[in-house]
Amino acid sequence: MQRLRWVDLTRAQNANSRPRSRLAQRFTTSAALYESLGKHPHHPVVGQLSRHNRSSRLVPVLPASLFCALLVFAAAAHSYTILSSNLVWSLPLWLMLLSACPCAIWMARIVALLSRQSRAGRLDELSLIPAGRSFILTIACQVVLSEGDAAWWLRMLRRWLAGLALLLMLVGMGIALASLQQIDWRDLSWLLLDVLLLTLVIPLEGAQSGVLACLLGSAAGTFSPGALDRTSAAFALFVLLQALSYALAMAGAVLLNMPRLWLVCGLFLLLRELAIVKMWRVVMRD
């Protein structure tokens, strides 16, 4: 039975090592990576990592994330009464706060899982299989994200929010255009572009934050132990990358002298995507 399992594992690895798969993986977006990490794989290594992951289930991800989401929505609604129309520029900040709770839990569990495997010497043993070390790190992320289908439900929540935002903005824009006697098509084009980027940033920010949490958790979990707590270091880097991406996006819009929402959202997503591509190649490299 064990031999058959290793044969199945080798076949799966051979299927993933084809040139077409390598090309597809090289240009995979963070949204596709997040979706693949949220699916439970089917091979023998999953069973071992899943058993060790059960001991770290202190806080359920989905209920905790929904509770934090209610707090974020309440804070955003309260801030809207104070900031009025200026709230739209702070949308990436609210979205990052929405991602903070699940990403913090996922990072802590990935670090704990990989650290436990490393201390027991099993991580080095598993890395010797033909699939390689990057395969093991990916499996660890899949095991953590797929537990309780939290990643799937959170992704659906983002899509529902994006659809609701699109519907409300289109209805409001239609009512406003109906009351105008003359339409400025240039301003209308900019407004439609704002609506498009606004609805895209809602689901894509969640996917990018999830992948960042996996990469930072994998990197921190494989570091040699030191005086600095691994989970705290991973979360500090996560917050730093989140803040830098938003600050650089706002600075880019100011330098280009184009204070448009679509430009801020576009730069925000682009900077994070470039960081994810670079980190993915570094962390997941054998």
Side-chain angles (χ1 to χ4, degrees), residues 67-234:
F67 176 74
C68 292
L70 291 177
L71 296 180
V72 172
F73 291 152
H78 177 70
S79 300
Y80 181 75
T81 60
I82 301 175
L83 300 177
S84 186
S85 60
N86 294 326
L87 178 68
V88 70
W89 296 102
S90 63
L91 177 65
L93 290 177
W94 295 112
L95 292 176
M96 289 188 290
L97 288 176
L98 196 63
S99 303
C101 179
C103 290
I105 298 176
W106 284 333
M107 276 189 293
R109 292 185 178 178
I110 292 173
V111 171
L113 178 60
L114 294 177
S115 300
R116 192 180 300 112
Q117 297 291 320
S118 180
R119 287 194 302 267
R122 285 186 291 265
L123 186 60
D124 294 333
E125 294 176 0
L126 291 174
S127 299
L128 294 177
I129 65 177
R133 188 179 183 87
S134 60
F135 175 77
I136 304 302
L137 296 179
T138 304
I139 295 304
C141 296
Q142 286 177 328
V143 167
V144 173
L145 263 68
S146 63
E147 192 257 321
D149 291 332
W152 187 87
W153 284 111
L154 292 176
R155 186 169 65 249
M156 289 300 299
L157 176 62
R158 292 279 183 150
R159 292 179 179 178
W160 293 336
L161 289 177
L164 180 62
L166 178 62
L167 178 62
L168 293 177
M169 293 191 70
L170 288 180
V171 170
M173 188 169 57
I175 295 175
L177 291 177
S179 61
L180 295 178
Q181 297 180 353
Q182 185 178 1
I183 300 176
D184 189 341
W185 294 105
R186 183 174 180 273
D187 292 340
L188 180 60
S189 300
W190 290 123
L191 185 59
L192 289 175
L193 193 56
D194 287 341
V195 173
L196 176 62
L197 266 297
L198 185 65
T199 53
L200 283 178
V201 75
I202 295 176
L204 291 182
E205 191 281 330
Q208 290 179 337
S209 294
V211 176
L212 278 175
C214 290
L215 292 174
L216 292 174
S218 300
T222 54
F223 283 163
S224 58
L228 186 63
D229 180 67
R230 300 184 186 185
T231 305
S232 301

